Amino acid sequence: MKFVEIKDLSVTELKKKRTTLSEELFQARIKNSIGQLSNPIEIRDLRRSIAKINTAIVKKVAR
């Protein structure tokens, strides 16, 4: 997910997206621990997407 796509969303949309991605990250970690995750790079991508969303939320609230 690119930051350009994220910065145009509202704060409420960003919070919903962050919640969804956090749930996906949790599921990916569980699958990875039992060996069912086919692509462990997915965990890194989810963490980075959550960080980008957190950055966008902070920038919008600071205005």
Side-chain angles (χ1 to χ4, degrees):
M1 177 174 294
K2 303 272 183 177
F3 190 75
V4 176
E5 301 168 0
I6 295 171
K7 71 178 184 177
D8 297 330
L9 299 175
S10 69
V11 176
T12 56
E13 291 173 332
L14 289 171
K15 288 182 180 180
K16 287 180 186 176
K17 190 115 177 122
R18 179 178 60 184
T19 303
T20 304
L21 289 175
S22 295
E23 291 171 1
E24 288 180 26
L25 178 61
F26 177 74
Q27 294 297 324
R29 285 182 174 161
I30 296 296
K31 286 181 181 179
N32 191 40
S33 68
I34 59 176
Q36 291 181 349
L37 190 65
S38 61
N39 187 8
I41 303 295
E42 182 180 335
I43 293 173
R44 180 180 68 191
D45 293 340
L46 287 170
R47 278 194 349 233
R48 287 181 179 178
S49 294
I50 292 170
K52 289 175 187 175
I53 289 173
N54 286 335
T55 302
I57 290 172
V58 168
K59 284 187 174 188
K60 287 189 182 276
V61 171
R63 287 188 195 170

